[in-house]
Amino acid sequence: MQTSPRTTKAKPNIYLSGFMGTGKTSIGKRLAQALGYRFIDSDEEIEKRCAMSVKDIFATLGEPKFREMEREFMESGHPDSGCVVSCGGGLVCRDGMPELVRSKGVSIVLFSPPEAILERVQKNDKRPLLNQPNPLETIKSLMRQRQQFYMKSGTAIATSPEISDTVKHILRIYKHATSKKFRR
Ligand code: S3P
């Protein structure tokens, strides 16, 4: 199975996928800073385009419409190089999306334990899928359902408690995928 492509494009994008609360935004911003790339968040781009929050899109237009917008964002809604792209947690969890994301650049999937995820997502109520009486059970169940998609979406890494360790690790993967020196 192909994970991260060994690409020949100049400054290929890095895509960060993984469950809500795995740290895609904070890690992505640090990566962008380290590489001098632009940071893009798929949720923010969709919110700008609709002039509506993700929460309101789910409530008024519905989840399937949001998933369509995520696909459009991936297909044509962002620059194709020089960016670190944080993908909403469910973006890759549709048929064809893991392949689409992998075809666009170097694709990384972050994994964190459900308890750590709960701690991070509890800080706000922006995530409609987790605004429920038992969010830990929802997290575990959604993670099980999504595992097959995440595993097809790129190089899987476990996040470290220290963000800078995760950032360094992703930079190594990126260097390996993009440098001629390391190609076989
Ligand atoms: C979702 C994750 C969210 C956002 C939306 C749905 C999901 O993004 O796209 O609430 O289905 O996992 P983050 O992963 O950035 O929180």
Side-chain angles (χ1 to χ4, degrees):
M1 183 182 61
Q2 185 196 7
T3 53
S4 282
R6 285 163 184 258
T7 175
T8 51
K9 208 188 279 173
K11 295 185 168 188
N13 285 348
I14 303 185
Y15 293 89
L16 298 179
S17 301
F19 205 81
M20 296 169 256
T22 47
K24 296 174 298 246
T25 304
S26 23
I27 292 166
K29 284 183 176 165
R30 297 271 284 267
L31 280 171
Q33 199 178 22
L35 291 164
Y37 286 10
R38 182 173 157 198
F39 175 77
I40 295 183
D41 179 290
S42 66
D43 287 339
E44 277 178 23
E45 294 304 307
I46 291 169
E47 287 180 332
K48 272 192 242 159
R49 196 168 275 206
C50 292
M52 227 190 258
S53 68
V54 169
K55 201 175 158 186
D56 289 345
I57 297 173
F58 268 69
T60 59
L61 307 176
E63 184 177 349
K65 184 68 194 163
F66 177 72
R67 300 302 174 196
E68 257 177 54
M69 293 190 245
E70 288 190 315
R71 190 183 289 272
E72 278 164 25
F73 165 82
M74 270 317 298
E75 281 170 352
S76 56
H78 65 287
D80 68 358
S81 65
C83 298
V84 177
V85 183
S86 168
C87 300
L91 184 147
V92 296
C93 304
R94 293 289 174 283
D95 286 342
M97 292 302 279
E99 295 75 10
L100 177 61
V101 176
R102 284 201 335 254
S103 74
K104 294 274 179 174
V106 176
S107 181
I108 309 284
V109 188
L110 305 179
F111 287 86
S112 307
E115 292 74 14
I117 287 176
L118 180 65
E119 211 179 297
R120 290 198 203 113
V121 298
Q122 266 175 343
K123 289 176 189 149
N124 63 58
D125 69 345
K126 282 192 200 158
R127 296 172 174 97
L129 294 177
L130 300 179
N131 290 339
Q132 332 231 354
N134 193 340
L136 186 59
E137 274 320 302
T138 308
I139 290 169
K140 287 180 181 169
S141 148
L142 267 178
M143 279 175 102
R144 273 194 301 274
Q145 291 166 34
R146 291 178 170 188
Q147 169 87 345
Q148 47 160 333
F149 291 101
Y150 289 144
M151 293 307 290
K152 284 198 286 191
S153 295
T155 302
I157 67 164
T159 57
S160 304
E162 197 54 60
I163 280 194
S164 57
D165 289 335
T166 310
V167 171
K168 275 188 217 147
H169 193 58
I170 296 173
L171 287 171
R172 281 183 212 113
I173 294 171
Y174 186 67
K175 204 163 182 177
H176 181 262
T178 54
S179 164
K180 278 194 193 131
K181 206 164 60 177
F182 301 121
R183 280 192 211 132
R184 263 177 261 129

